Amino acid sequence: KHDSTKPFFSFIFYDLPHAITLSEEKLTHFQPSWKYADYTQLDNDLDPTPFFNLYRNCVWQVDSLASQVFTALQAHDLMKNTVIVITGDHGQEFNENHKNYWGHWANYSRPQIGVPLVYYYPGCLPAVRSYRTTHYDISATLLKQVMGVQNPTEDYSMGKLLEDPSPRPWHVAGNDLFYAFIIDDDVIVEKRGTGNIVIFDKQMNQLDDYQLNVKELNDAIIRLNRFYK
């Protein structure tokens, strides 16, 4: 309903992959699939396939809904000057590491922090990037590429430009209770709410003898807090 002659910003949040619930007649694309998410069955010995397929059916439905948005943009000739970002706020774990972790929020392994990211800019050439990016990179890229900000990105963001393949050392991830730095080969340095630090490898095995570089950790914490006043 917006006036297509004026700039606009739209945000759409699709809750299906978060709620993991879908009407039974739409649970057909991936089988076998649970009819609903029965969390009482979850344990370390459960075959995750039916639960995972329920999740995949939800994502499939979101894909079909998102396609309606693209069709509408094309119908109004807006793809030529519209930037589109598709991503998620977190991943969803289905016991990939066999530690009885399900869903999200419980740890910072790749299944829980890895998310899809599709960035469309008018006139861009399709490509797949294989290096690590972060959510911080999205705002940094939009401010420079779309808003015309000329300052170096470190003036206003912990992120880099999405097109920048340089390493993101000490990548930070967090929730409302505790956060973690992801370093090296997905080593996870958790900073718990009680103040203690616990270190895991990417399969969530605790690394009691890991030699942490204290100076790098301190530098990362300073960088994390540099925009707080």
Side-chain angles (χ1 to χ4, degrees):
K1 297 179 181 180
H2 79 282
D3 182 351
S4 61
T5 64
K6 297 180 180 179
F8 68 93
F9 174 86
S10 295
F11 174 81
I12 304 174
F13 180 79
Y14 296 105
D15 190 56
L16 281 174
H18 195 279
I20 316 184
T21 182
L22 196 62
S23 55
E24 188 172 345
E25 68 272 12
K26 295 180 179 178
L27 298 176
T28 58
H29 197 79
F30 299 100
Q31 287 290 333
S33 171
W34 279 358
K35 294 182 180 179
Y36 65 95
D38 186 356
Y39 294 97
T40 64
Q41 293 192 40
L42 302 183
D43 61 41
N44 211 34
D45 298 320
L46 177 74
D47 176 7
T49 303
F51 188 19
F52 184 48
N53 282 339
L54 171 60
Y55 175 77
R56 295 172 76 195
N57 281 313
C58 290
V59 174
W60 179 268
Q61 181 67 16
V62 166
D63 285 349
S64 68
L65 295 173
S67 71
Q68 297 176 25
V69 176
F70 305 143
T71 299
L73 289 171
Q74 291 172 331
H76 289 84
D77 197 28
L78 290 171
M79 293 294 285
K80 64 184 180 183
N81 59 357
T82 300
V83 177
I84 300 173
V85 180
I86 304 174
T87 190
D89 53 343
H90 53 71
Q92 196 78 359
E93 186 168 0
F94 291 88
N95 201 27
E96 283 88 344
N97 293 317
H98 306 291
K99 300 285 193 252
N100 203 24
Y101 284 115
W102 302 84
H104 58 274
W105 192 81
N107 65 55
Y108 295 105
S109 62
R110 182 169 292 189
Q112 294 203 29
I113 67 171
V115 297
L117 174 59
V118 178
Y119 181 83
Y120 168 81
Y121 188 85
C124 65
L125 297 176
V128 177
R129 312 296 188 189
S130 59
Y131 50 83
R132 186 195 302 277
T133 59
T134 79
H135 286 103
Y136 296 110
D137 299 340
I138 298 173
S139 58
T141 302
L142 289 174
L143 284 169
K144 187 173 183 66
Q145 190 174 52
V146 181
M147 305 300 180
V149 174
Q150 298 298 312
N151 298 54
T153 55
E154 57 265 23
D155 283 357
Y156 54 83
S157 174
M158 290 194 298
K160 301 183 179 184
L161 301 182
L162 285 169
E163 64 189 25
D164 182 353
S166 62
R168 273 82 167 157
W170 292 85
H171 160 220
V172 64
N175 59 35
D176 56 347
L177 291 181
F178 66 103
Y179 62 91
F181 292 104
I182 316 300
I183 61 175
D184 299 332
D185 185 23
D186 284 344
V187 171
I188 303 161
V189 181
E190 282 191 6
K191 177 70 166 56
R192 299 287 178 85
T194 54
N196 62 313
I197 290 176
V198 184
I199 303 175
F200 301 91
D201 67 12
K202 60 185 177 182
Q203 279 84 36
M204 290 304 298
N205 299 305
Q206 189 165 327
L207 303 175
D208 295 326
D209 299 323
Y210 187 85
Q211 297 300 308
L212 186 64
N213 188 316
V214 178
K215 181 182 182 305
E216 289 184 357
L217 174 61
N218 185 64
D219 290 344
I221 293 175
I222 292 174
R223 179 174 172 80
L224 173 65
N225 296 323
R226 64 188 292 252
F227 296 112
Y228 286 103
K229 300 295 184 183

